[in-house]
Amino acid sequence: MSQFKRFFTFVLAGMTALSLLAGCSQQSSSGSTSQSQPSSAAPSGSPASSSSENPASKTDAAPSESQPASASSESAPAEPETGKTLVLYFSASGNTKAVAETIATAAGSELYELTPAEPYTSDDLRWTNPDSRVNTEHNDPAHRTAIAGELPDLAAYDTIFLGYPLWWREAPSIVWNFMENADLSGKTIIPFCTSTSDGIEGSVETLRGMAPAANWMQGRRFGENLNESAVTQWVNSLELEADGSSQPAAPEGTSAEPASTGTNALVVYFSVPEDVDTTGVDAIAGASVLVSNGTALGNMEYMAGIIQRETGADSYRIVEQNAYPRDHQPLIDQAQQEQRNNDRPAIAGELPDLSGYDVIYLGYPNWWGDMPMILYTFLDAVDLSGKTVVPFCVHGGSGFSGTIRTIRQLEPGAEVLDGLTISRNSIGGAEQEIVTWVNGLPVNQ
Ligand SMILES: Cc1cc2nc3c(=O)[nH]c(=O)nc-3n(C[C@H](O)[C@H](O)[C@H](O)COP(=O)(O)O)c2cc1C
């Protein structure tokens, strides 16, 4: 029986009579509906994400059951309840899932994962390949990725955290599919997303249009690496009532995330993991990529993640507007040409507001004995006066080269520390060295 027939039966059984729209029976087998289309997605210049490109087995999740999982150990009540909170999310490569689980723990709420009827493989997620599944789907505005299993009965929930990764600055169409088939009238919706660099606001505008009768709270964007304390702090700041509802005084609207989650530190980094086969390896010398817990990460992404985890800092990844080649030789050739031309490659998306940060961890690979030219673009555009800059770098034999001196020249008003540089040949085993170094910094005493 197709999922939509099951879904229809579910409705007929009266189990979700008040919570689902009758329009679901009009769906095509691809999961698209005949309802109005959301505004077309603005393509992001370069939605690079090594973790998205390497979701490994995380996409092979079993179909979700209709009964949301409880984050607490309490068993499901026999009588229908109301006033509860649900964390409902989609995650292709695990980043949003990690945030969703942290929210559920902090809010004591239940979890429901929107699972695609056909799971996304790592090849499916290769946004750089114009023929990949995500690109084909993205190019068809009517496409809605079909949902595996039944939708949850939302009657018991007053408040729903709605989570997703940004795909071309929008929620993926599986989330649109959910929105078009669920009745969220009167419910409080708290959107959150993970992304490489883009903010959540545009995607929330689109979602709001699909459920205008819901009470929309301010959206919150998180980076690709889980910052547990930032997520927990955010949930606590929402002041959810004991019954799961939120304070009426909580801000409405769709503005971008707060400039800071309370930390005074920001990890800014640039990482270009090369497109190599990482099967069965821990690190690939020279390929700017390593495998950590089964996930391929850029070397700089890996270092940045450890620093962020240890310090509770916020994170901002510098992403190039025009994607760099992911093959080694074309990449280093382009990097050399940019250096010879003294280019300033464009950065995708908006730069972060740095006003709330006193400490900037600045991470970059050593390219041809210098910072990648996109770091110059960044440093030209910001003023780090009065801040402490902590450089970190992965190198192929030259350490920082002259980059510390260069940063001091470009940011004369900043205090630029000596930083930490690690060889690409030993980065895979350098976690403890990074942890010891970052915790020993004067800014962390
Ligand atoms: C197809 C695709 C499109 C993406 N588009 C964007 C984008 O427009 N802006 C952005 O900042 N990140 C973009 N990303 C990066 C993801 O939002 C980011 O890696 C996210 O944390 C993945 O979450 P997940 O692990 O829960 O799937 C994109 C990733 C993919 C696979």
Side-chain angles (χ1 to χ4, degrees):
M1 185 161 52
S2 80
Q3 61 155 316
F4 293 105
K5 283 187 187 153
R6 277 203 308 270
F7 181 44
F8 191 57
T9 310
F10 191 55
V11 174
L12 280 184
M15 294 171 73
T16 58
L18 293 175
S19 62
L20 302 171
L21 287 176
C24 63
S25 60
Q26 298 166 2
Q27 284 183 314
S28 72
S29 60
S30 73
S32 62
T33 75
S34 60
Q35 295 176 9
S36 61
Q37 307 300 335
S39 63
S40 65
S44 177
S46 180
S49 165
S50 66
S51 53
S52 295
E53 289 167 19
N54 297 280
S57 59
K58 288 177 184 165
T59 50
D60 297 328
S64 303
E65 293 171 9
S66 59
Q67 202 56 252
S70 176
S72 67
S73 56
E74 287 169 29
S75 55
E79 292 300 316
E81 274 185 51
T82 57
K84 294 196 295 179
T85 299
L86 180 67
V87 180
L88 185 145
Y89 69 97
F90 164 67
S91 179
S93 54
N95 301 342
T96 312
K97 184 186 182 85
V99 173
E101 289 173 349
T102 307
I103 293 172
T105 302
S109 56
E110 295 177 357
L111 270 173
Y112 180 89
E113 180 171 4
L114 278 179
T115 309
E118 187 191 337
Y120 286 95
T121 66
S122 48
D123 278 347
D124 289 344
L125 293 170
R126 282 184 197 280
W127 58 269
T128 46
N129 172 4
D131 299 324
S132 67
R133 176 177 165 194
V134 281
N135 263 299
T136 309
E137 292 177 356
H138 177 62
N139 292 335
D140 174 7
H143 172 83
R144 298 290 180 274
T145 295
I147 301 165
E150 296 159 358
L151 293 178
D153 179 357
L154 300 178
Y157 304 100
D158 284 352
T159 302
I160 299 173
F161 285 88
L162 179 65
Y164 49 88
L166 281 189
W167 284 8
W168 289 281
R169 295 184 182 158
E170 294 282 351
S173 75
I174 190 171
V175 178
W176 289 353
N177 193 358
F178 165 75
M179 296 297 295
E180 290 167 346
N181 288 289
D183 182 1
L184 300 174
S185 310
K187 298 194 187 295
T188 296
I189 310 295
I190 310 173
F192 66 97
C193 76
T194 64
S195 75
T196 306
S197 58
D198 283 317
I200 194 172
E201 52 273 30
S203 67
V204 176
E205 268 318 304
T206 305
L207 296 172
R208 267 170 91 100
M210 296 173 173
N215 169 31
W216 288 84
M217 301 263 294
Q218 192 169 43
R220 180 75 162 87
R221 177 249 167 200
F222 295 96
E224 292 173 314
N225 300 312
L226 175 66
N227 182 341
E228 213 171 312
S229 64
V231 175
T232 304
Q233 214 172 337
W234 172 62
V235 173
N236 293 340
S237 75
L238 295 172
E239 296 179 18
L240 296 174
E241 297 284 357
D243 67 358
S245 63
S246 47
Q247 296 279 6
E252 271 193 28
T254 59
S255 59
E257 62 177 312
S260 169
T261 52
T263 170
N264 71 339
L266 177 70
V267 181
V268 175
Y269 70 100
F270 176 64
S271 189
V272 183
E274 291 168 36
D275 205 356
V276 292
D277 183 6
T278 55
T279 316
V281 298
D282 292 330
I284 299 177
S288 315
V289 62
L290 57 78
V291 179
S292 172
N293 294 328
T295 302
L297 298 172
N299 287 340
M300 296 313 307
E301 187 181 9
Y302 176 69
M303 254 185 117
I306 295 170
I307 295 168
Q308 185 195 26
R309 185 193 70 205
E310 291 298 309
T311 59
D314 289 337
S315 171
Y316 167 74
R317 181 173 182 164
I318 297 173
V319 176
E320 70 278 14
Q321 183 113 51
N322 300 312
Y324 280 103
R326 297 289 159 145
D327 292 329
H328 187 66
Q329 198 56 45
L331 174 62
I332 61 171
D333 287 350
Q334 182 169 330
Q336 187 175 44
Q337 200 53 51
E338 285 179 356
Q339 202 181 88
R340 285 181 177 150
N341 298 343
N342 197 20
D343 283 342
R344 296 291 184 272
I347 295 173
E350 287 176 22
L351 292 177
D353 176 2
L354 301 181
S355 57
Y357 301 105
D358 300 325
V359 180
I360 307 290
Y361 296 91
L362 187 65
Y364 48 88
N366 184 324
W367 279 5
W368 295 105
D370 202 346
M371 294 182 287
M373 297 313 289
I374 200 163
L375 263 292
Y376 286 81
T377 311
F378 176 78
L379 291 170
D380 283 353
V382 298
D383 178 4
L384 302 181
S385 299
K387 302 184 193 300
T388 302
V389 177
V390 189
F392 61 100
C393 162
V394 173
H395 67 90
S398 316
F400 275 117
S401 296
T403 59
I404 303 290
R405 195 173 53 246
T406 305
I407 298 169
R408 287 182 178 139
Q409 282 164 357
L410 292 171
E411 298 294 338
E415 184 190 0
V416 182
L417 304 188
D418 288 340
L420 176 69
T421 181
I422 294 182
S423 163
R424 67 187 178 202
N425 297 326
S426 52
I427 183 71
E431 177 169 1
Q432 195 48 53
E433 183 183 351
I434 300 167
V435 168
T436 306
W437 164 74
V438 76
N439 288 313
L441 287 169
V443 290
N444 292 324
Q445 302 314 304

